[in-house]
Structure formats: C-alpha cells, structure tokens
Amino acid sequence: DMTEQGSIFYAAYAMFLRWDLFRRLEIDEQIAINFFSQVEAGYHPNAYHNSMHGADVMHIVHYILLKGQGKEKLQLKDHDVLAMLVAAMIHDFDHPGLNNNFHIKVQSYLSTLYNDRSVLENHHLAEVFDLMKTPRFNLFHCLKPEHALDARETMIEVVLATDMGLHAKVFGAWKRRLAQNHTLHKRKDDQRLALSMCIKMADISN
C-alpha cells in the first residue's frame, strides 16, 4: 500500500534538497528527519486523507512555487518557502477520517474545543505546533524569532484556508484583490492570500 511507504518522508526530504533549505536555513538534518518521520506517522490509513495525499499536496505547492514562479512573483523569503512546504505536508495531520460537519453535528470533543470553527484544520495545526515544542522535532529551530513567528502565522492562515466551509469567503477575497491589480508581493496579507489559493488548488487537485 503506497500510503504506508513513506510518501511524505521521501517527498519532503527531496523537496528540502531541491530548495537547498538545509544549507540556506542551516536546518539540522537529523531534526528534519525526525520531523518528517513523525508527520508521516501522524497520518492515518484513511481512504483519502492519508500520507499520500499530504505528499501530493506538498508536491503541487512545490511545483506552483517553483515552475509557476510563485516564489519569484511573490518575492518569498526562504522561511516563507519552508512555511509553505511544512503547511502542505501537515495540512491533514492526524485526520480522523470524518469531516467537520460530522464533528459539529455530534458535538465531538474537537468541535467543542474549537467552537465549531474550522475544527479539523485547527486540530492539524495545533497537533503539529505542539509536536514542534519538543527540540528534536522543532523544524524552526534555525529561524530567527521573528521569522519563526512569521512562518507560524503563514502556516495558520493557509491551513485554515483549506477548510472548504470557508471556500466562498477565501475565493471571494481573492477575486476582489485581483480586481484591483496583480501586484501581490508588497503586503504580507496579499502574499498570504495568494499562498492560501496555492494550497487550496493543491488540496483539491488530487
């Protein structure tokens, strides 16, 4: 079964090499290996929301940033690329196989915890950020505090944007922004809106 053969681990390692992140950000390779392995292990063998899906989304985000010139057009920094690759690989981390509507209707623990708002998306993020509190999994160990905070905020915004319950809101904001002009690199809010659309395209494309 391909969902049990390290799809996220191998894809993540290859993409970090392709972007030269180990060298450019001075990421400890063993910490990265620990993190990739733990993220892989955190995906369940669901029919759709499994590690293969996480790897697919990460690969498409990588393609948009590289071949689609997203990094160049948005003038992203290295820590922005790191944030997007991590967001893509963890965007369905610990997915229980049941959607937000189910959790809200049965008033599950997660629904109560997150007040019915983007229940699973908040859960994916919270679980990973909690994991990163442990030094051997802290992939942001190499970042300056302000860059780590920026990367965290980018991850939060783009992963929450994968909630299909927010699709009309996010897509509407995107259309209104593009109606003004296509200069999206000057403001962080515009960059993150574009990156939200990037991960949304990746998420629904497979």
Side-chain angles (χ1 to χ4, degrees):
D1 186 347
M2 285 299 292
T3 67
E4 298 176 357
Q5 294 182 7
S7 49
I8 282 182
F9 180 91
Y10 292 116
Y13 195 86
M15 288 174 205
F16 272 52
L17 288 175
R18 178 62 183 82
W19 287 99
D20 199 19
L21 294 179
F22 292 117
R23 184 186 65 83
R24 294 175 65 86
L25 291 176
E26 299 183 353
I27 297 173
D28 185 300
E29 187 174 2
Q30 186 58 58
I31 290 177
I33 288 171
N34 295 342
F35 182 79
F36 300 158
S37 299
Q38 199 69 14
V39 170
E40 182 85 44
Y43 273 82
H44 305 299
N46 299 316
Y48 180 77
H49 298 103
N50 51 51
S51 63
M52 179 63 78
H53 171 67
D56 284 342
V57 172
M58 179 170 47
H59 183 250
I60 296 167
V61 165
H62 156 78
Y63 189 89
I64 292 171
L65 294 182
L66 185 65
K67 298 296 185 179
Q69 300 182 320
K71 180 179 186 293
E72 178 183 352
K73 292 177 180 179
L74 294 175
Q75 297 186 15
L76 301 179
K77 307 296 185 184
D78 288 330
H79 71 272
D80 296 317
V81 174
L82 173 65
M84 282 303 293
L85 293 179
V86 175
M89 81 171 80
I90 66 92
H91 83 282
D92 276 330
F93 182 81
D94 196 37
H95 197 296
L98 299 166
N99 64 22
N100 284 338
N101 285 338
F102 175 86
H103 284 275
I104 292 169
K105 286 179 180 178
V106 302
Q107 283 295 283
S108 70
Y109 169 76
L110 290 178
S111 176
T112 303
L113 181 64
Y114 297 115
N115 299 305
D116 299 346
R117 299 292 187 266
S118 301
V119 176
L120 292 176
E121 292 74 21
N122 273 303
H123 176 65
H124 307 320
L125 287 161
E127 288 294 299
V128 169
F129 289 141
D130 190 55
L131 173 68
M132 291 173 68
K133 289 179 181 178
T134 302
R136 66 193 182 97
F137 298 124
N138 182 14
L139 198 58
F140 290 172
H141 71 93
C142 55
L143 301 181
K144 296 177 181 178
E146 61 270 24
H147 289 168
L149 179 60
D150 190 38
R152 173 186 165 90
E153 290 176 349
T154 294
M155 284 180 61
I156 291 171
E157 182 151 341
V158 303
V159 172
L160 291 181
T162 64
D163 178 1
M164 288 305 294
L166 299 177
H167 178 75
K169 180 180 179 180
V170 175
F171 190 58
W174 176 242
K175 290 195 295 184
R176 289 191 298 273
R177 179 60 189 84
L178 288 185
Q180 300 173 25
N181 58 66
H182 290 187
T183 303
L184 301 171
H185 66 274
K186 294 183 178 180
R187 298 176 62 248
K188 180 59 73 172
D189 286 348
D190 290 339
Q191 283 183 324
R192 287 184 177 144
L193 180 57
L195 293 173
S196 293
M197 291 303 299
C198 169
I199 199 170
K200 283 174 65 61
M201 287 188 290
D203 193 24
I204 64 175
S205 68
N206 63 87

